[in-house]
């Protein structure tokens, strides 16, 4: 069975700091990769997604992620965070043979200090 | 209409109550999902409906009973719940195009508290 690991459970940054959140998955075949964000009291929103093509994908709100197949990783980055980025971030993977099923990582809680 | 709606937003129920959660989408999606999310945890898949038929049940206790009356609606009937069932219940939907992954769109959730 596929699994998704997010090694940073809690991250605290000051505004304008750079952000990188790690995501690793275990499936060796074709994958579709996602980052979701959940702001306090709000629903899951898609930040960005990778299906194929350029491994560097850009999403909303200045976020980007890089798919490195050899490392089974899909790390999320943002060059300069804002207080409004305080939220929970989930990496999710759909394995090519899993239909529409998503497997979520454990989440990373980001707190940005003003 | 590009959103998934869920009602109610909040629900408090006793262990002997029967209640239902409702999910609706008008995007023409033919796959719908129920997830359970405990605080500070990722969503956990409960059920998947495909073309109004239950296709996946992730070993969910029978006190949770899903229903898909039509392609736009998904219900989750609750009966004899336990306090540990308190959680955020998320609904999602996706298109159903064979041979490719179809992105899921999530609703805002129903926050359930079982007393």
């Amino acid at each position: 069975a596929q699994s998704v690991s997010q090694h940073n459970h809690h991250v605290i940054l000051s505004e304008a700091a750079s952000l990188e959140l790690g995501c690793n998955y275990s499936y060796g075949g074709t994958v579709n990769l996602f980052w979701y964000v959940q702001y306090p009291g709000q629903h899951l929103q898609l930040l960005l997604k990778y299906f194929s093509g350029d491994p560097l994908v850009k999403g909303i709100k200045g976020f980007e992620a890089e798919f490195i197949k050899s490392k089974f990783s899909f790390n999320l980055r943002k060059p300069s965070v804002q207080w409004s980025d305080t939220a929970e971030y989930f990496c999710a993977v759909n394995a090519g043979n899993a239909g529409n099923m998503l497997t979520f990582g454990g989440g990373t809680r980001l707190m940005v200090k003003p | 209409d590009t959103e998934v709606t869920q009602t109610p937003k909040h629900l408090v129920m006793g262990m002997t109550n029967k209640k239902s959660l409702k999910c609706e989408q008008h995007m023409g999606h033919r796959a719908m999902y129920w997830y359970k999310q405990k605080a500070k945890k990722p969503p956990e898949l409960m059920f998947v409906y495909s073309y109004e038929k239950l296709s996946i049940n992730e070993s969910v206790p029978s006190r949770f009973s899903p229903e898909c009356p039509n392609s736009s609606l998904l219900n989750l009937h609750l009966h004899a719940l336990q306090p540990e069932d308190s959680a955020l219940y998320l609904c999602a939907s996706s298109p159903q195009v064979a041979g490719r992954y179809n992105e899921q769109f999530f609703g805002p959730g129903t926050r359930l508290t079982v007393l």
Side-chain angles (χ1 to χ4, degrees):
Chain A
Q2 57 181 326
S3 65
V4 182
S5 298
Q6 292 181 241
H7 305 294
N8 315 103
H9 299 294
H10 292 91
V11 173
I12 301 174
L13 296 173
S14 297
E15 276 195 315
S18 64
L19 169 73
E20 181 159 3
L21 302 182
C23 173
N24 289 91
Y25 61 92
S26 63
Y27 183 68
T30 302
V31 289
N32 301 301
L33 301 160
F34 307 84
W35 276 98
Y36 284 88
V37 61
Q38 193 169 30
Y39 297 102
Q42 296 191 29
H43 63 284
L44 280 169
Q45 299 175 41
L46 183 66
L47 270 180
L48 47 77
K49 59 189 176 187
Y50 172 80
F51 285 0
S52 63
D54 189 343
L56 184 63
V57 292
K58 295 195 183 298
I60 60 172
K61 307 186 185 208
F63 286 91
E64 65 178 31
E66 185 175 13
F67 170 50
I68 303 180
K69 188 174 181 179
S70 61
K71 295 185 177 180
F72 299 90
S73 70
F74 189 56
N75 292 354
L76 181 71
R77 298 195 292 247
K78 185 170 184 179
S80 176
V81 294
Q82 300 172 310
W83 174 79
S84 57
D85 293 323
T86 294
E88 185 95 26
Y89 291 81
F90 293 100
C91 180
V93 175
N94 164 257
N97 63 354
N100 285 345
M101 289 187 65
L102 275 181
T103 300
F104 284 86
T108 297
R109 185 168 293 269
L110 171 66
M111 180 183 294
V112 180
K113 298 183 293 183
Chain B
D1 188 352
T2 58
E3 64 174 5
V4 177
T5 59
Q6 290 186 243
T7 54
K9 289 186 179 179
H10 301 273
L11 178 62
V12 179
M13 60 186 291
M15 289 190 285
T16 58
N17 292 157
K18 285 185 181 180
K19 297 285 185 184
S20 297
L21 309 184
K22 181 179 173 181
C23 172
E24 194 165 1
Q25 57 87 16
H26 295 286
M27 295 179 277
H29 292 171
R30 302 307 296 273
M32 296 185 78
Y33 311 76
W34 280 115
Y35 288 85
K36 174 181 178 180
Q37 186 179 21
K38 299 284 277 185
K40 302 181 183 180
K41 296 291 185 184
E44 298 174 14
L45 183 66
M46 299 174 73
F47 302 104
V48 181
Y49 271 82
S50 177
Y51 292 96
E52 297 90 70
K53 287 187 174 22
L54 183 65
S55 60
I56 295 174
N57 176 341
E58 290 287 291
S59 303
V60 180
S62 59
R63 57 186 184 268
F64 295 91
S65 176
E67 179 197 18
C68 191
N70 60 55
S71 60
S72 300
L73 280 175
L74 185 66
N75 298 321
L76 186 63
H77 302 298
L78 314 172
H79 174 54
L81 294 194
Q82 304 296 312
E84 59 265 29
D85 296 322
S86 298
L88 181 68
Y89 288 84
L90 296 168
C91 176
S93 72
S94 69
Q96 191 79 335
V97 178
R100 50 164 277 190
Y101 175 77
N102 299 284
E103 179 183 334
Q104 295 183 29
F105 295 78
F106 285 84
T110 293
R111 188 160 298 282
L112 173 68
T113 302
V114 181
L115 301 176

